[in-house]
Amino acid sequence: MSKFIIGIIITLLLVVVAIPRAAFAGNGDYNDATNPQFGGEWTNEDNINWGDDDVEDMYNALQDAGWADTWGGSFMWGGTHAWEQDFKYKEAPGGGTDYLWIDDVDLAWFTGHGSNWRLHFLNPDHDDENLHYYEARWGDHDLEWIMLHSCHVLMDDSLDLWHGTMMMLHLICGSKSTIYDKEDGKNVAKYLIDSDGSGPDVAYTVQKSWFYGCDVHQASGVTLRCMSEYWLYGYEYIWGQGRTYADVPGDPYYSVYTYNCS
Amino acid sequence: MKKLFIVTMVVLLVVIGNIGCAESGSADLSVSLPTVEGQSGKPEFKDKIKYKDFGDSIIVYKVKNKNVGIDDVDALGTQLGLDGDIGYDDDGQYVMASRGEKVAAQLYVWVNSGAMEYDSFVFDDVDPTDEIDPALLASLPSEQEAKGIASAFLTDNGLMPSDGISGIEVSIGGSVELRNSETGEIVMSNPTHWLIQWDREIDGIPVAGSGADLSVRVGPESTIQRVFKCWREIEGSYKELKIKSAQDAYEELINGKGSFYTDLSVKEVIVDQVELVYWMDSVDQEQNYIVPVYQFSGTCLDADGVAIDEQPFQGWCEALK
């Protein structure tokens, strides 16, 4: 009998492991303050080594702080399981599923190659390898903050382009310059979260967490940026750590915060 | 008798082997050169370097590892005016904070490097009913005032290094812009803080790498926003070791043995400078030796031969033979 139960458990585990991608993420409850969710994807292509650590460190830290686990709607995909369509809106060319993935969580992270007009993915089949800025519409479903650990996404000439992706998204954090492959997810998470609400540390705003967390490892010459749809979002904290402000419809105006690493 | 002879020989061999290890085999003199997160192109390189003679050997130094403990953190935190508990995480990092109703300050200390970070900030320092970001209206102290404020903070808190400083740079550390995406116009802009950085040298050779950092950020109303210090102390010289020539290092660099990055848009790189630097690893890394690296810099050109100002070229190659 016990062998039978063990057999069933092993079979179930094998099925779960064998399925490369679940059919959904998030729980669509929008109870952001009580059940916030995190979604992270990485590619670890070419010379990138720390993408998986970035995402896993962020996931673990947020889960310790009470955010949802993978059963509750958070997710992590890496390598060829990181798909461009997860970031793309439904009606975009080729069809996207951001409403099930990136736009169905509260905080998102991407580590991979980038440039001023796109994010690059390894898998060419879902839907292709490049997410162009015009294929993204973030925040109209759930997403508040997205952190893009990629080179040159927020250059001077691409700010207006990426502003077009902000459909009630609060903040895009990225880099104007090259950004080095470092274990930054862990540090950013430390700043985002006050570990126990009263103990030895305090939480920082999302913007400061991105700047200070990355600056621990990034060298002089690296220029980080955060784009804010509404200036108040530059001063808000993630859910559960301080003040977070309501979504507001976008307009042509937006704020850009720039930080030069030391 | 024969057995005794064999045992004696084995013991002698083991002892000699261990001595050999301690002298040379155990020293890890490798460095972690940077890699970046962009797809690197395969540009053509042009060598426009006026090569200097860096000699054929250099002293490798041993780092004085400090074994930072909770008492050290407590002393530093108290000196900085913090009164909270001290926490420690598995990554080898202490944290201590002080939180008031409106202001807070926080100290991080990394055990592996002795590096420290001090941040101070104001909670809820914005009024949601304001129509405009207060950072767009805030004014900073003058450049000279900021430099003086930063220097005084380091000196008063025992954080100013006693030697090795080769220069001070003052620059704008950050800014805020209000933009209009329909017109492409920057409607308003304002600097958010000054960044004051102290350069370091050892034996007249510059120190570089992400672990070479002594900096202070001074914001509006002369507030110290952030202090970062990673200044590994030297225990003494380890050995004088042979280095490759800068020309050989350049050849290695362009043949993929060093580390550099150029965006896909870069078609040509003009390398015009090379420096021999001592390399400092990240703050969370235990570094036992300070070793030299060749640091190359230059200009990236696009397909039309136009310099890409936002992408200055930098590359690195280990210098030890």
Side-chain angles (χ1 to χ4, degrees), chain A residues 113 118 149 151 155 163 179-181 190-191 200-202 204 215 217 235 252 254 256-260 262, chain B residues 35-39 89 93 97 99 106 117 119 133 172-175 177 179 181 213 217 226 284 310:
Chain A
H113 290 320
R118 54 87 199 241
H149 201 275
C151 292
M155 293 174 78
H163 179 241
I179 188 167
Y180 297 101
D181 176 35
K190 278 181 188 169
Y191 292 84
D201 64 339
V202 295
Y204 291 43
D215 195 12
H217 281 148
Y235 297 86
Y254 65 100
V256 178
Y257 300 91
T258 301
Y259 179 95
N260 298 316
S262 59
Chain B
T35 55
V36 299
E37 284 163 2
Q39 276 180 301
D89 67 28
Q93 199 177 355
R99 85 180 65 211
Q106 184 149 296
E117 173 187 346
D119 307 321
D133 187 343
I172 295 296
S175 64
E177 292 171 351
R179 287 177 171 250
S181 59
D213 190 352
R217 294 174 191 267
R226 188 172 194 246
D284 52 0
E310 287 181 306

Side-chain angles (χ1 to χ4, degrees), chain A residues 50-104:
Chain A
W50 289 105
D52 50 343
D53 299 271
D54 280 342
V55 171
E56 287 164 15
D57 291 342
M58 183 72 78
Y59 171 84
N60 290 333
L62 289 166
Q63 210 193 335
D64 288 346
W67 283 47
D69 59 14
T70 49
W71 297 105
S74 293
F75 69 88
M76 298 182 281
W77 295 122
T80 53
H81 293 317
W83 294 349
E84 179 250 12
Q85 68 186 40
D86 298 345
F87 292 73
K88 191 157 71 175
Y89 71 97
K90 194 174 180 180
E91 295 80 15
T97 53
D98 70 345
Y99 57 94
L100 296 173
W101 301 102
I102 284 299
D103 207 355
D104 199 32

Side-chain angles (χ1 to χ4, degrees), chain B residues 22-191:
Chain B
E23 188 57 31
S24 61
S26 63
D28 180 7
L29 302 178
S30 62
V31 292
S32 304
L33 297 175
T35 55
V36 299
E37 284 163 2
Q39 276 180 301
S40 197
K42 290 186 172 57
E44 291 212 358
F45 277 83
K46 270 194 184 160
D47 182 357
K48 297 279 187 184
I49 302 167
K50 288 179 182 166
Y51 287 100
K52 293 180 270 186
D53 181 12
F54 294 109
D56 60 2
S57 65
I58 193 169
I59 294 173
V60 170
Y61 285 95
K62 280 188 87 168
V63 173
K64 184 179 179 182
N65 283 314
K66 295 179 73 174
N67 298 320
V68 176
I70 196 164
D71 292 340
D72 301 305
V73 179
D74 190 36
L76 179 56
T78 304
Q79 169 68 39
L80 291 165
L82 306 184
D83 58 6
D85 297 333
I86 296 172
Y88 181 76
D89 67 28
D90 297 338
D91 301 324
Q93 199 177 355
Y94 284 103
V95 61
M96 181 180 187
S98 185
R99 85 180 65 211
E101 211 169 290
K102 284 287 177 189
V103 294
Q106 184 149 296
L107 171 69
Y108 286 110
V109 178
W110 284 265
V111 170
N112 278 343
S113 61
M116 60 78 67
E117 173 187 346
Y118 167 82
D119 307 321
S120 71
F121 45 91
V122 183
F123 287 124
D124 295 327
D125 55 344
V126 291
D127 181 350
T129 61
D130 282 350
E131 298 224 331
I132 195 165
D133 187 343
L136 282 164
L137 306 172
S139 58
L140 298 179
S142 72
E143 185 175 333
Q144 275 307 312
E145 285 170 336
K147 190 173 162 183
I149 291 161
S151 297
F153 185 87
L154 293 182
T155 304
D156 294 348
N157 290 291
L159 295 168
M160 186 67 86
S162 54
D163 58 10
I165 292 173
S166 57
I168 305 177
E169 292 171 37
V170 184
S171 59
I172 295 296
S175 64
V176 55
E177 292 171 351
L178 177 65
R179 287 177 171 250
N180 182 331
S181 59
E182 274 182 6
T183 63
E185 174 192 13
I186 299 173
V187 181
M188 288 178 79
S189 68
N190 202 28

